[in-house]
């Protein structure tokens, strides 16, 4: 959480990893086979059957996922996290990378309606699921009630943790865990704000809960 | 994160075939494994994503012995909120809700929770020696900052503690683990699932590499009315335990008929307190009985440089947990 300068990007730049299963495989395979299996062909093969012999050959795998109501047919490396897919490939930068190790909650998104840490979710594992990020919460120009409440109660200072806080706050009400200040604090504890906007966030959640709107 | 192959089999048989080969690792919720892979602590060649397997469901069976079965892929959040669990195994529900954050509980599975690895900082920091991560490299914690570490069952090879809350409740509730391999099914008593470090701290448990956890079975009991999970940590929530206690009592007219006690944060495995349990049987359910049991529970405890406070914190936590369980708090 503390070390934001650490290069936590899963893509290795510069030095090649010592062990590289894909390249080892290619070395062991005849050149002809490797050339014949162009990515397009290989992806198509894998679409039909996620067979391990095929999956082993290439770097990228097919991923079908609905993100904020839009169906996406993507091609990704298995080690890409949902967080990095959202930010780097789809340019949905509302979801923030805080600690990148599941400790701060800045990357919270909803998968099939349940809040999770997108930094610890391998993107391949959301195949066939529905993902909602902070960008998918508003209805066009009309902000979600929780977004309105955060603005009204000044539930953020620098704003970095805010998208994750709002995604958790919505889930907190949906899960039925916003019935008291203590319960809200407990169920918001996976979202850490280093500036200390907590009391205002609790106020915002209490107001939305009391409003009785469908969130 | 190093490159790896990713496969997502849809049948248990194909998972069992895949895990029988070396270098493969099972991926369930990923909340611990992906974290460890990012840190470079673990770097499997192949991930076997088992989320497509039908290892879900929570049900009660009334066979020769009545029990509750929990599928290995059930989410921690789903188990904690399940009506049957809340009603019949509230201790398990409380322990689950004491663990991690709401987001992580929505990811973590029952089987994965059992397989989560220690949070010892010397295990996580790949620049440090650690016999668990790199056998033979030494133990950074032994002479290092060992405030979070074990007071029971440690060895000179490893003084790390088991991190789960769920497992502390499950050992107290006498759970059994069902595992499958190509050879068939086998059942492991929960108390025998995790290991003490001895000379092989790299082995956290007795699951063979070709075995898959399929479900956890908890016998029904008379503890639902008087049970309590108490977790003491450095902040109010979302932190690993310094000490935690699962306490369950069966009280008849003010007298303890039977008792279950287990501690977390004190040993390499969920630490069941059999002697203290025995000492409670037949005693009045009051503070004096609880304090006496807590003292018995501490026999054989040994502290290190920075965790001597646990020698006082642990018995106090036991007494407090029993007091809550008895409804006297």
């Amino acid at each position: 959480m503390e070390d934001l300068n650490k290069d936590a990007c899963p893509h290795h730049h510069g030095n090649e990893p010592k062990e590289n299963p894909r390249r080892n495989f290619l070395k062991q395979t005849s050149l002809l086979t490797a050339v014949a299996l162009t990515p397009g062909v290989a992806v198509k093969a894998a679409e039909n059957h996620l067979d391990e012999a095929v999956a082993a050959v290439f770097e990228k795998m097919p991923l079908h996922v609905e993100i904020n109501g839009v169906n996406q047919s993507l091609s990704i490396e298995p080690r890409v996290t949902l967080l990095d897919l959202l930010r780097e490939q789809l340019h949905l930068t509302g979801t923030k990378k805080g600690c990148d190790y599941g400790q701060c909650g800045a990357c919270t998104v909803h998968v099939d309606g349940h809040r999770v840490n997108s930094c610890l979710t391998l993107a391949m594992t959301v195949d066939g699921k529905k993902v909602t990020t902070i960008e998918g919460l508003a209805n066009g120009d009309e902000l979600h009630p929780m977004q309105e409440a955060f603005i009204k109660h000044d539930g953020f200072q620098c704003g970095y943790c805010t998208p994750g806080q709002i995604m958790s706050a919505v889930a907190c009400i949906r899960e039925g865990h916003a019935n008291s200040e203590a319960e809200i604090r407990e169920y918001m504890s996976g979202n850490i704000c280093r500036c200390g906007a907590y009391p205002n966030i609790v106020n915002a959640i209490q107001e939305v809960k009391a409003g009785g709107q469908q969130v | 994160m190093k490159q790896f192959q990713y496969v997502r089999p849809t049948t248990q048989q194909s998972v069992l075939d895949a895990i029988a080969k070396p270098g493969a690792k099972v991926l369930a919720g990923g909340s611990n494994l992906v974290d460890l892979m990012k840190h470079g602590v673990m770097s499997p060649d192949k991930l076997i994503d088992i989320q497509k397997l039908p290892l879900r469901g929570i049900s009660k069976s009334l066979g020769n012995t009545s029990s509750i079965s929990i599928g290995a892929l059930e989410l921690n959040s789903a188990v904690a909120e399940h009506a049957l669990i809340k009603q019949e195994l509230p201790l398990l529900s409380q322990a689950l809700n004491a663990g991690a954050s709401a987001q992580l509980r929505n990811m973590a599975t029952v089987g994965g929770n059992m397989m989560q690895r220690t949070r010892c900082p010397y295990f996580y920091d790949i620049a440090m020696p650690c016999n668990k991560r790199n056998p033979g490299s030494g133990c950074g914690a032994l002479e290092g900052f060992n405030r979070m570490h074990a007071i029971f069952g440690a060895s000179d090879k490893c003084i790390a503690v088991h991190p789960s809350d769920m497992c502390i409740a499950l050992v107290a509730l006498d759970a059994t683990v069902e595992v499958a391999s190509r050879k068939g099914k086998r059942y492991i008593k929960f108390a025998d699932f995790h290991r003490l470090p001895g000379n092989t701290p790299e082995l956290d448990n007795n699951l063979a590499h070709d075995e898959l956890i399929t479900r956890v079975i908890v016998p029904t009991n008379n503890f639902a009315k008087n049970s309590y999970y108490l977790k003491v940590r450095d902040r109010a929530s979302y932190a690993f335990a310094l000490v935690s206690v699962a306490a369950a009592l069966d009280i008849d007219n003010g007298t303890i008929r039977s008792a279950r006690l287990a501690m977390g944060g004190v040993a390499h495995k969920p630490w069941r307190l059999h002697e203290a349990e025995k000492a409670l049987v037949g005693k009045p359910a009051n503070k004096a009985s609880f304090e006496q049991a807590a003292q018995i529970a501490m026999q054989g405890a040994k502290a290190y440089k920075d965790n001597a406070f646990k020698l006082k914190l642990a018995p106090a936590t036991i007494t407090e947990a029993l007091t809550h369980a008895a409804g006297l708090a």
Side-chain angles (χ1 to χ4, degrees):
Chain A
M1 160 81 205
E2 301 305 326
D3 191 2
L4 290 172
N5 294 320
K6 197 169 167 183
D7 178 18
C9 176
H11 302 282
H12 291 275
H13 299 294
N15 293 338
E16 285 296 320
K18 276 179 199 154
E19 290 297 318
N20 185 322
R22 185 183 68 93
R23 288 188 174 80
N24 288 346
F25 183 93
L26 289 178
K27 265 184 247 165
Q28 292 153 15
T29 317
S30 76
L31 184 65
L32 207 64
T33 313
V35 171
L37 273 172
T38 57
V41 174
V43 169
K44 195 132 185 117
E47 297 248 8
N48 296 331
H49 49 96
L50 200 59
D51 171 71
E52 60 181 86
V54 176
V57 183
F58 46 65
E59 215 159 48
K60 295 197 170 184
M61 299 182 76
L63 169 66
H64 301 285
V65 58
E66 184 187 312
I67 297 176
N68 298 332
V70 178
N71 284 318
Q72 301 275 0
S73 287
L74 305 163
S75 171
I76 63 156
E77 261 194 79
R79 62 180 163 173
V80 170
T81 62
L82 177 56
L83 173 62
D84 289 337
L85 175 72
L86 292 171
R87 290 182 56 85
E88 293 175 20
Q89 203 163 327
L90 300 173
H91 308 295
L92 292 168
T93 52
T95 305
K96 298 295 185 250
K97 181 180 281 196
C99 68
D100 207 24
Y101 293 102
Q103 295 173 18
C104 77
C107 68
T108 301
V109 300
H110 298 171
V111 174
D112 282 350
H114 299 291
R115 54 171 155 162
V116 299
N117 298 113
S118 60
C119 72
L120 293 183
T121 303
L122 291 176
M124 283 304 296
T125 65
V126 298
D127 190 70
K129 297 185 178 177
K130 290 182 183 179
V131 175
T132 306
T133 72
I134 190 72
E135 288 93 341
L137 219 49
N139 181 15
D141 287 341
E142 190 189 331
L143 291 181
H144 184 278
M146 193 61 76
Q147 291 172 311
E148 295 276 14
F150 266 64
I151 294 169
K152 181 179 166 190
H153 290 277
D154 195 14
F156 44 84
Q157 289 180 35
C158 83
Y160 196 83
C161 72
T162 308
Q165 296 275 9
I166 290 175
M167 297 310 286
S168 253
V170 170
C172 187
I173 292 178
R174 282 188 192 161
E175 292 160 2
H177 290 303
N179 300 309
S180 67
E181 188 181 324
E183 193 180 31
I184 290 171
R185 286 181 181 278
E186 173 61 31
Y187 281 84
M188 289 298 291
S189 69
N191 290 75
I192 293 174
C193 160
R194 58 174 55 189
C195 337
Y198 292 127
N200 299 357
I201 291 171
V202 172
N203 291 342
I205 296 171
Q206 282 186 310
E207 180 175 284
V208 175
K209 167 80 178 171
Q213 290 155 279
Q214 184 76 33
V215 296
Chain B
M1 206 185 316
K2 283 170 63 172
Q3 280 187 320
F4 54 85
Q5 298 169 33
Y6 171 89
V7 292
R8 195 167 49 218
T10 51
T11 66
Q12 187 165 309
Q13 190 55 51
S14 50
V15 167
L16 297 179
D17 290 343
I19 62 174
K21 293 167 196 158
K25 200 83 195 143
V26 167
L27 176 75
S31 54
N32 189 210
L33 180 56
V34 174
D35 188 30
L36 290 164
M37 288 168 69
K38 284 185 163 191
H39 279 93
V41 177
M42 293 175 78
S43 45
D45 295 330
K46 181 190 270 192
L47 286 190
I48 319 287
D49 182 348
I50 61 166
Q51 288 287 352
K52 297 273 180 200
L53 297 190
L55 297 175
R56 291 189 172 80
I58 298 172
S59 60
K60 187 170 175 176
S61 96
L62 302 162
N64 290 340
T65 49
S66 163
S67 64
I68 292 168
S69 165
I70 306 167
L73 282 176
E74 279 292 342
L75 295 177
N76 281 191
S77 54
V79 179
E81 300 290 334
H82 196 277
L84 183 63
I85 303 296
K86 284 206 294 210
Q87 190 188 327
E88 300 221 13
L89 306 173
L91 183 65
L92 177 59
S93 182
Q94 283 180 29
L96 280 162
N97 277 329
S101 65
Q103 289 98 313
L104 290 167
R105 292 194 295 271
N106 275 342
M107 303 171 71
T109 64
V110 167
N113 190 315
M114 290 171 56
M115 297 300 287
Q116 74 171 306
R117 310 208 65 190
T118 184
R119 261 55 179 199
C120 173
Y122 299 93
F123 173 72
Y124 256 83
D125 183 348
I126 59 169
M128 298 301 291
C130 172
N131 288 323
K132 184 179 273 299
R133 173 172 32 77
N134 184 12
S137 63
C139 172
L142 205 54
E143 302 292 328
F145 184 57
N146 45 34
R147 180 172 176 273
M148 296 294 286
H149 291 74
I151 52 172
F152 290 107
S155 75
D156 60 356
K157 299 288 189 292
C158 181
I159 62 171
V161 295
H162 174 79
S164 165
D165 292 296
M166 179 195 82
C167 292
I168 310 308
L170 286 176
V171 80
L173 295 170
D174 261 345
T176 296
V177 187
E178 182 188 84
V179 307
S181 73
R182 294 200 284 192
K183 285 165 275 181
K185 278 184 200 173
R186 95 177 157 110
Y187 295 87
I188 308 170
K189 281 186 67 177
F190 202 89
D192 300 328
F193 186 84
H194 296 96
R195 298 167 59 107
L196 289 178
N199 289 321
T200 53
E202 68 274 20
L203 302 175
D204 294 343
N205 53 59
N206 290 313
L207 190 76
H209 83 95
D210 64 343
E211 287 178 323
L212 177 73
I213 301 166
T214 49
R215 62 186 176 124
V216 173
I217 302 154
V218 188
T220 53
N221 57 59
N222 296 319
F223 299 117
K225 222 173 84 188
N226 293 108
S227 64
Y228 197 77
Y229 188 76
L230 180 58
K231 183 176 183 181
V232 181
R233 44 193 159 179
D234 279 330
R235 55 186 185 201
S237 63
Y238 192 23
F240 288 97
L242 290 166
V243 170
S244 68
V245 171
L249 296 168
D250 179 4
I251 302 170
D252 179 30
N253 221 356
T255 301
I256 299 166
R257 199 151 43 184
S258 64
R260 298 280 179 77
L261 274 176
M263 260 200 286
V266 297
H268 200 254
K269 62 182 284 185
W271 195 246
R272 179 85 180 259
L273 305 168
H274 288 289
E275 294 305 314
E277 289 173 6
K278 276 186 219 156
L280 284 166
V281 175
K283 300 274 168 54
N286 63 27
K287 196 151 188 186
S289 308
F290 302 155
E291 280 173 349
Q292 192 208 3
Q295 289 313 313
I296 290 167
M298 294 306 292
Q299 283 169 10
K302 180 194 171 217
Y304 295 88
K305 179 167 57 72
D306 303 306
N307 69 350
F309 72 97
K310 286 193 182 182
L311 298 179
K312 288 184 180 170
L313 179 63
T317 310
I318 293 171
T319 305
E320 187 75 8
L322 285 166
T323 306
H324 277 276
L328 302 174

